[in-house]
Amino acid sequence: AQSVTQLDSQVPVFEEAPVELRCNYSSSVSVYLFWYVQYPNQGLQLLLKYLSGSTLVKGINGFEAEFNKSQTSFHLRKPSVHISDTAEYFCAVMNTGFQKLVFGTGTRLLVSP
Amino acid sequence: DSGVTQTPKHLITATGQRVTLRCSPRSGDLSVYWYQQSLDQGLQFLIQYYNGEERAKGNILERFSAQQFPDLHSELNLSSLELGDSALYFCASSVDRTGQKYFGPGTRLTVT
């Protein structure tokens, strides 16, 4: 079975500052990794995904994440956030043999002016 | 716009009642997934259908059932509703096994 831990339930940050949202996963087999964003009153949108290849993955809206197999982490980063980045961010993992996505509990990113 | 549509957007009903949530996947997507998002449980996978057949089951209660029709739309049926069933129910669709899922806007269910 897979599990995902998002260590921070809320991350407050000032506009134009860098941010890192942490995600650690647990799995005994190979996995695919994802970050989703949920804006207020909206559905989930895929930010980026790691399937294989380069461990540094670039996504939409200037976000990127790095897959670290030895540390079983997939932290999300952005060098300079905007007010519009205020949202809930979910890390998710999927066993490569199945299609069930297991989500973390989410991290609320609060960007202030 | 993900291309996945869900109806209704909001639903308010009483305990003990039964409701049906509807999802239309993106054109060409054969897989449909249902998720429940609540304050208590977070975002949880309920069930997946692929081309009309149940493919995977998650934390779906026995009071809940789903099906996927020949035109690939899916319905999630929730019966004997309890207050704790109040949540946002998402549908997602995908075309392949790599897991890129496109989520609908959700149906907010309130049980009073």
Coordinates of all heavy atoms in Angstrom, one line a residue, chain A residues 44-112:
Chain A
L44 N -10.0 19.9 -8.8 CA -8.6 19.7 -8.8 C -8.0 19.8 -10.2 O -8.5 19.4 -11.2 CB -8.2 18.3 -8.3 CG -8.5 18.0 -6.8 CD1 -8.6 16.5 -6.5 CD2 -7.4 18.6 -6.0
Q45 N -6.8 20.4 -10.2 CA -6.1 20.6 -11.5 C -4.7 20.1 -11.3 O -4.0 20.3 -10.3 CB -6.0 22.1 -11.8 CG -5.4 22.5 -13.1 CD -5.3 24.0 -13.4 OE1 -5.7 24.8 -12.5 NE2 -4.8 24.4 -14.5
L46 N -4.2 19.3 -12.3 CA -2.9 18.8 -12.3 C -1.9 19.8 -12.5 O -1.9 20.6 -13.5 CB -2.7 17.7 -13.4 CG -1.4 17.0 -13.4 CD1 -1.2 16.1 -12.2 CD2 -1.3 16.1 -14.7
L47 N -0.9 19.9 -11.5 CA 0.2 20.9 -11.6 C 1.4 20.3 -12.4 O 1.9 20.9 -13.3 CB 0.7 21.3 -10.2 CG 0.1 22.5 -9.6 CD1 0.8 22.7 -8.2 CD2 0.3 23.8 -10.4
L48 N 1.7 19.1 -12.0 CA 2.9 18.4 -12.6 C 2.8 16.9 -12.1 O 2.1 16.5 -11.2 CB 4.2 19.0 -12.2 CG 4.5 19.4 -10.7 CD1 4.9 18.1 -9.9 CD2 5.5 20.4 -10.6
K49 N 3.7 16.1 -12.8 CA 3.7 14.7 -12.5 C 5.1 14.2 -12.8 O 5.8 14.7 -13.7 CB 2.7 13.9 -13.3 CG 2.9 14.0 -14.8 CD 1.8 13.2 -15.6 CE 2.1 13.4 -17.1 NZ 1.0 12.7 -17.9
Y50 N 5.5 13.2 -12.0 CA 6.7 12.4 -12.3 C 6.3 11.0 -12.6 O 5.7 10.3 -11.8 CB 7.6 12.4 -11.0 CG 8.8 11.5 -11.2 CD1 9.9 11.9 -12.0 CD2 8.8 10.2 -10.7 CE1 11.0 11.0 -12.2 CE2 9.9 9.4 -10.9 CZ 10.9 9.8 -11.7 OH 12.0 8.9 -11.9
L51 N 6.7 10.6 -13.8 CA 6.5 9.2 -14.2 C 7.8 8.4 -14.3 O 7.9 7.3 -13.9 CB 5.8 9.2 -15.6 CG 4.4 9.9 -15.7 CD1 3.8 9.8 -17.0 CD2 3.5 9.4 -14.6
S52 N 8.8 9.1 -14.9 CA 10.1 8.4 -15.0 C 11.1 9.5 -15.6 O 10.6 10.6 -15.9 CB 10.1 7.2 -16.0 OG 9.8 7.6 -17.3
G53 N 12.4 9.2 -15.7 CA 13.3 10.1 -16.4 C 13.8 11.1 -15.4 O 14.1 10.8 -14.2
S54 N 14.0 12.3 -15.9 CA 14.6 13.4 -15.1 C 13.8 13.6 -13.8 O 12.6 13.6 -13.7 CB 14.6 14.7 -15.8 OG 15.0 15.8 -15.0
T55 N 14.6 13.7 -12.7 CA 14.0 13.8 -11.4 C 13.4 15.2 -11.1 O 12.7 15.4 -10.2 CB 15.0 13.5 -10.3 OG1 16.1 14.3 -10.4 CG2 15.4 12.0 -10.4
L56 N 13.8 16.2 -11.9 CA 13.3 17.6 -11.8 C 12.2 17.7 -12.8 O 12.4 17.7 -14.0 CB 14.4 18.6 -12.0 CG 14.0 20.1 -11.8 CD1 13.5 20.3 -10.4 CD2 15.1 21.0 -12.2
V57 N 11.0 18.0 -12.3 CA 9.8 18.1 -13.1 C 9.3 19.5 -13.1 O 9.1 20.1 -12.0 CB 8.7 17.1 -12.6 CG1 7.5 17.2 -13.5 CG2 9.2 15.7 -12.6
K58 N 9.0 20.0 -14.3 CA 8.5 21.4 -14.3 C 7.0 21.3 -14.7 O 6.6 20.5 -15.5 CB 9.2 22.2 -15.4 CG 10.7 22.5 -15.0 CD 11.3 23.5 -15.8 CE 12.8 23.7 -15.5 NZ 13.0 24.2 -14.1
G59 N 6.2 22.1 -14.0 CA 4.8 22.1 -14.2 C 4.2 23.5 -14.7 O 5.0 24.3 -15.1
I60 N 2.9 23.6 -14.5 CA 2.3 24.9 -14.9 C 2.5 25.9 -13.9 O 2.8 25.6 -12.7 CB 0.8 24.7 -15.2 CG1 0.1 24.2 -13.9 CG2 0.6 23.7 -16.3 CD1 -1.4 24.2 -14.1
N61 N 2.3 27.2 -14.3 CA 2.3 28.3 -13.3 C 3.6 28.5 -12.6 O 3.7 29.1 -11.6 CB 1.2 28.2 -12.3 CG -0.2 28.1 -12.9 OD1 -0.4 28.5 -14.1 ND2 -1.2 27.6 -12.2
G62 N 4.7 28.0 -13.2 CA 6.1 28.2 -12.7 C 6.5 27.3 -11.6 O 7.5 27.5 -10.9
F63 N 5.7 26.3 -11.3 CA 6.0 25.3 -10.2 C 6.9 24.2 -10.8 O 6.9 23.9 -12.0 CB 4.7 24.7 -9.7 CG 3.9 25.6 -8.7 CD1 2.9 26.4 -9.2 CD2 4.3 25.6 -7.4 CE1 2.2 27.2 -8.4 CE2 3.5 26.4 -6.5 CZ 2.5 27.2 -7.0
E64 N 7.7 23.7 -9.9 CA 8.5 22.5 -10.2 C 8.6 21.7 -9.0 O 8.4 22.1 -7.8 CB 9.9 23.0 -10.7 CG 10.7 23.7 -9.6 CD 12.1 24.1 -10.2 OE1 12.3 24.4 -11.4 OE2 13.0 24.1 -9.3
A65 N 9.0 20.4 -9.2 CA 9.1 19.5 -8.1 C 10.3 18.5 -8.4 O 10.6 18.3 -9.5 CB 7.9 18.7 -7.9
E66 N 10.9 18.1 -7.3 CA 12.1 17.2 -7.5 C 11.8 15.8 -6.8 O 11.4 15.8 -5.6 CB 13.3 17.8 -6.9 CG 14.6 16.9 -7.2 CD 15.8 17.7 -7.3 OE1 15.9 18.9 -6.8 OE2 16.8 17.2 -7.9
F67 N 11.9 14.8 -7.6 CA 11.7 13.4 -7.0 C 13.0 13.0 -6.4 O 14.1 13.0 -7.1 CB 11.3 12.5 -8.2 CG 11.3 11.0 -7.8 CD1 10.6 10.6 -6.7 CD2 12.1 10.1 -8.5 CE1 10.6 9.2 -6.4 CE2 12.1 8.8 -8.2 CZ 11.3 8.3 -7.1
N68 N 13.0 12.6 -5.2 CA 14.2 12.1 -4.5 C 13.9 10.7 -3.9 O 13.2 10.6 -2.9 CB 14.6 13.1 -3.3 CG 15.9 12.7 -2.7 OD1 16.2 11.5 -2.5 ND2 16.7 13.7 -2.4
K69 N 14.4 9.7 -4.7 CA 14.0 8.4 -4.3 C 14.6 7.9 -3.0 O 13.9 7.3 -2.2 CB 14.5 7.4 -5.4 CG 14.0 6.0 -5.3 CD 14.4 5.2 -6.5 CE 13.8 3.8 -6.3 NZ 14.2 2.9 -7.5
S70 N 15.8 8.4 -2.7 CA 16.4 7.9 -1.4 C 15.7 8.5 -0.2 O 15.6 7.9 0.9 CB 17.9 8.3 -1.4 OG 18.0 9.7 -1.5
Q71 N 15.2 9.7 -0.4 CA 14.5 10.4 0.7 C 13.0 10.2 0.6 O 12.2 10.7 1.4 CB 14.8 11.9 0.8 CG 16.3 12.1 1.1 CD 16.6 13.6 1.4 OE1 15.7 14.4 1.4 NE2 17.9 13.9 1.5
T72 N 12.5 9.5 -0.4 CA 11.1 9.3 -0.7 C 10.3 10.6 -0.6 O 9.3 10.7 0.1 CB 10.5 8.2 0.2 OG1 10.6 8.6 1.6 CG2 11.1 6.8 0.0
S73 N 10.8 11.6 -1.3 CA 10.2 12.9 -1.2 C 9.9 13.4 -2.6 O 10.5 13.0 -3.6 CB 11.1 13.9 -0.5 OG 12.2 14.2 -1.2
F74 N 9.0 14.3 -2.7 CA 8.6 14.9 -3.9 C 8.1 16.4 -3.6 O 6.9 16.7 -3.7 CB 7.5 14.1 -4.6 CG 7.2 14.5 -6.0 CD1 8.2 14.6 -7.0 CD2 5.9 14.8 -6.4 CE1 7.9 14.9 -8.3 CE2 5.6 15.1 -7.8 CZ 6.6 15.2 -8.7
H75 N 9.0 17.2 -3.2 CA 8.7 18.5 -2.7 C 8.4 19.5 -3.9 O 9.1 19.4 -4.9 CB 9.8 19.1 -1.9 CG 10.1 18.3 -0.7 ND1 9.2 17.5 0.0 CD2 11.3 18.2 0.0 CE1 9.8 16.9 1.0 NE2 11.1 17.3 1.1
L76 N 7.4 20.3 -3.7 CA 7.0 21.3 -4.7 C 7.6 22.6 -4.4 O 7.6 23.1 -3.2 CB 5.5 21.4 -4.7 CG 4.8 22.3 -5.7 CD1 4.9 21.7 -7.1 CD2 3.3 22.5 -5.4
R77 N 8.1 23.3 -5.4 CA 8.7 24.6 -5.2 C 8.3 25.6 -6.3 O 7.9 25.3 -7.4 CB 10.3 24.5 -5.3 CG 10.9 23.5 -4.3 CD 12.4 23.6 -4.4 NE 13.0 22.5 -3.6 CZ 13.4 21.4 -4.0 NH1 13.4 21.1 -5.3 NH2 13.9 20.5 -3.2
K78 N 8.4 26.9 -5.8 CA 8.2 28.0 -6.8 C 9.1 29.1 -6.3 O 9.1 29.5 -5.1 CB 6.7 28.5 -6.8 CG 6.5 29.5 -7.9 CD 5.0 29.7 -8.2 CE 4.8 30.8 -9.3 NZ 3.4 31.0 -9.6
P79 N 9.9 29.7 -7.2 CA 10.9 30.7 -6.8 C 10.2 32.0 -6.3 O 10.8 32.8 -5.6 CB 11.8 30.9 -8.0 CG 11.0 30.4 -9.1 CD 10.0 29.4 -8.6
S80 N 9.0 32.3 -6.9 CA 8.4 33.6 -6.5 C 6.9 33.5 -6.7 O 6.4 33.3 -7.8 CB 8.9 34.7 -7.5 OG 8.3 35.9 -7.3
V81 N 6.2 33.5 -5.6 CA 4.7 33.3 -5.6 C 4.0 34.5 -5.9 O 4.4 35.6 -5.6 CB 4.3 32.6 -4.3 CG1 4.9 31.2 -4.2 CG2 4.5 33.4 -3.1
H82 N 2.7 34.3 -6.4 CA 1.8 35.4 -6.6 C 0.6 35.2 -5.7 O 0.3 34.1 -5.2 CB 1.4 35.4 -8.1 CG 2.5 35.6 -9.0 ND1 3.2 36.7 -9.2 CD2 3.1 34.7 -9.8 CE1 4.2 36.5 -10.1 NE2 4.1 35.3 -10.5
I83 N -0.1 36.3 -5.5 CA -1.4 36.2 -4.7 C -2.3 35.1 -5.3 O -2.9 34.4 -4.6 CB -2.1 37.6 -4.8 CG1 -1.3 38.7 -4.1 CG2 -3.5 37.4 -4.1 CD1 -1.3 38.7 -2.6
S84 N -2.3 35.0 -6.6 CA -3.2 34.1 -7.3 C -2.8 32.6 -7.0 O -3.5 31.7 -7.4 CB -3.2 34.3 -8.8 OG -1.9 34.2 -9.3
D85 N -1.6 32.4 -6.4 CA -1.2 31.0 -6.1 C -1.9 30.5 -4.8 O -1.7 29.4 -4.4 CB 0.3 30.9 -5.9 CG 1.0 31.1 -7.2 OD1 0.5 30.7 -8.3 OD2 2.1 31.8 -7.2
T86 N -2.6 31.4 -4.1 CA -3.3 31.0 -2.9 C -4.3 29.9 -3.3 O -5.2 30.1 -4.1 CB -4.1 32.2 -2.3 OG1 -3.1 33.1 -1.8 CG2 -5.0 31.7 -1.1
A87 N -4.1 28.7 -2.6 CA -4.9 27.5 -3.0 C -4.5 26.4 -2.1 O -3.6 26.5 -1.3 CB -4.7 27.1 -4.4
E88 N -5.2 25.3 -2.3 CA -4.8 24.0 -1.5 C -4.1 23.2 -2.5 O -4.5 23.0 -3.7 CB -6.1 23.3 -1.1 CG -5.9 22.1 -0.2 CD -6.0 22.4 1.3 OE1 -6.7 23.4 1.6 OE2 -5.5 21.7 2.1
Y89 N -3.0 22.6 -2.0 CA -2.1 21.8 -2.9 C -2.0 20.4 -2.4 O -1.8 20.2 -1.2 CB -0.7 22.4 -3.0 CG -0.7 23.7 -3.7 CD1 -1.0 24.9 -3.1 CD2 -0.3 23.8 -5.0 CE1 -1.1 26.1 -3.7 CE2 -0.3 25.0 -5.7 CZ -0.7 26.1 -5.1 OH -0.7 27.3 -5.8
F90 N -2.3 19.4 -3.2 CA -2.3 18.0 -2.9 C -1.2 17.2 -3.6 O -1.1 17.3 -4.8 CB -3.7 17.4 -3.2 CG -4.8 17.9 -2.4 CD1 -5.6 19.0 -2.9 CD2 -5.2 17.3 -1.2 CE1 -6.6 19.5 -2.1 CE2 -6.2 17.8 -0.5 CZ -7.0 18.9 -0.9
C91 N -0.5 16.5 -2.8 CA 0.5 15.6 -3.3 C -0.2 14.2 -3.4 O -1.0 13.9 -2.6 CB 1.7 15.5 -2.4 SG 3.0 14.4 -2.9
A92 N 0.1 13.4 -4.5 CA -0.6 12.2 -4.6 C 0.4 11.1 -5.2 O 1.3 11.5 -5.9 CB -1.8 12.3 -5.6
V93 N 0.2 9.9 -4.9 CA 1.0 8.8 -5.4 C 0.2 7.7 -5.9 O -0.9 7.5 -5.5 CB 1.9 8.3 -4.2 CG1 1.1 7.6 -3.1 CG2 2.9 7.3 -4.7
M94 N 0.7 7.0 -6.9 CA 0.0 5.9 -7.5 C 1.0 4.8 -7.8 O 2.1 5.1 -8.4 CB -0.6 6.4 -8.8 CG -1.5 5.3 -9.5 SD -2.3 5.8 -11.0 CE -0.9 5.8 -12.1
N95 N 0.7 3.6 -7.4 CA 1.5 2.4 -7.7 C 1.4 2.2 -9.2 O 0.4 2.3 -9.8 CB 0.8 1.2 -7.0 CG 1.6 -0.1 -7.3 OD1 1.9 -0.4 -8.4 ND2 1.9 -0.8 -6.2
T96 N 2.6 2.0 -9.9 CA 2.6 1.9 -11.3 C 1.7 0.7 -11.9 O 1.5 0.6 -13.0 CB 4.0 1.7 -11.9 OG1 4.6 0.6 -11.2 CG2 4.8 3.0 -11.6
G97 N 1.4 -0.2 -11.0 CA 0.5 -1.3 -11.4 C -1.0 -1.1 -11.3 O -1.8 -1.9 -11.8
F98 N -1.3 0.0 -10.7 CA -2.8 0.3 -10.5 C -3.1 1.7 -10.9 O -2.3 2.4 -11.3 CB -3.1 0.0 -9.0 CG -2.8 -1.4 -8.5 CD1 -1.6 -1.7 -8.0 CD2 -3.8 -2.4 -8.7 CE1 -1.3 -3.0 -7.5 CE2 -3.5 -3.7 -8.3 CZ -2.3 -4.0 -7.7
Q99 N -4.3 2.0 -10.7 CA -4.8 3.3 -11.1 C -5.3 4.1 -10.0 O -5.9 5.2 -10.2 CB -5.8 3.2 -12.3 CG -5.2 2.5 -13.5 CD -5.9 2.9 -14.7 OE1 -6.2 4.0 -15.0 NE2 -6.3 1.9 -15.5
K100 N -5.2 3.6 -8.8 CA -5.8 4.3 -7.6 C -4.8 5.4 -7.2 O -3.7 5.1 -6.8 CB -6.1 3.3 -6.5 CG -6.8 4.0 -5.3 CD -7.1 2.9 -4.3 CE -6.0 2.7 -3.3 NZ -6.4 1.9 -2.2
L101 N -5.3 6.6 -7.1 CA -4.5 7.7 -6.6 C -4.7 7.9 -5.1 O -5.8 7.9 -4.7 CB -4.9 9.0 -7.3 CG -4.1 9.6 -8.5 CD1 -4.7 10.9 -8.9 CD2 -2.6 9.7 -8.2
V102 N -3.6 7.9 -4.4 CA -3.7 8.1 -2.9 C -3.2 9.5 -2.7 O -2.1 9.9 -3.0 CB -2.8 7.1 -2.1 CG1 -2.8 7.4 -0.7 CG2 -3.3 5.7 -2.4
F103 N -4.0 10.3 -2.0 CA -3.7 11.7 -1.8 C -3.2 12.0 -0.4 O -3.6 11.3 0.5 CB -5.0 12.6 -2.0 CG -5.4 12.7 -3.4 CD1 -6.3 11.8 -4.0 CD2 -4.9 13.8 -4.2 CE1 -6.7 12.0 -5.4 CE2 -5.3 14.0 -5.5 CZ -6.2 13.1 -6.1
G104 N -2.4 13.0 -0.3 CA -2.0 13.5 1.0 C -3.2 14.4 1.5 O -4.2 14.6 0.9
T105 N -3.0 14.9 2.7 CA -4.1 15.7 3.4 C -4.1 17.1 2.9 O -5.1 17.8 3.2 CB -3.9 15.7 4.9 OG1 -2.5 16.1 5.2 CG2 -4.1 14.3 5.5
G106 N -3.2 17.5 2.1 CA -3.2 18.9 1.5 C -2.5 19.9 2.3 O -2.3 19.8 3.5
T107 N -2.0 20.9 1.6 CA -1.3 22.0 2.2 C -1.9 23.3 1.7 O -2.0 23.5 0.4 CB 0.2 22.1 1.9 OG1 0.8 20.9 2.5 CG2 0.9 23.3 2.5
R108 N -2.4 24.1 2.6 CA -3.0 25.4 2.1 C -1.9 26.4 2.0 O -1.3 26.8 3.0 CB -4.1 25.8 3.1 CG -4.8 27.1 2.7 CD -6.0 27.3 3.6 NE -7.0 26.3 3.4 CZ -7.9 26.2 2.4 NH1 -7.9 27.2 1.5 NH2 -8.8 25.2 2.3
L109 N -1.7 26.9 0.8 CA -0.7 28.0 0.6 C -1.5 29.4 0.7 O -2.4 29.6 -0.1 CB -0.1 27.8 -0.8 CG 0.9 28.9 -1.2 CD1 2.1 29.0 -0.2 CD2 1.4 28.7 -2.6
L110 N -1.0 30.2 1.6 CA -1.7 31.5 1.8 C -0.6 32.6 1.4 O 0.3 32.8 2.1 CB -2.1 31.7 3.2 CG -3.2 30.8 3.7 CD1 -3.4 30.9 5.2 CD2 -4.5 31.1 3.0
V111 N -0.9 33.3 0.3 CA 0.0 34.3 -0.2 C -0.5 35.7 0.2 O -1.6 36.0 -0.2 CB 0.3 34.2 -1.7 CG1 1.3 35.2 -2.1 CG2 0.7 32.8 -2.0
S112 N 0.3 36.4 0.9 CA -0.2 37.8 1.4 C 0.6 38.9 0.6 O 1.8 38.6 0.3 CB 0.1 37.9 2.9 OG -0.6 37.0 3.6

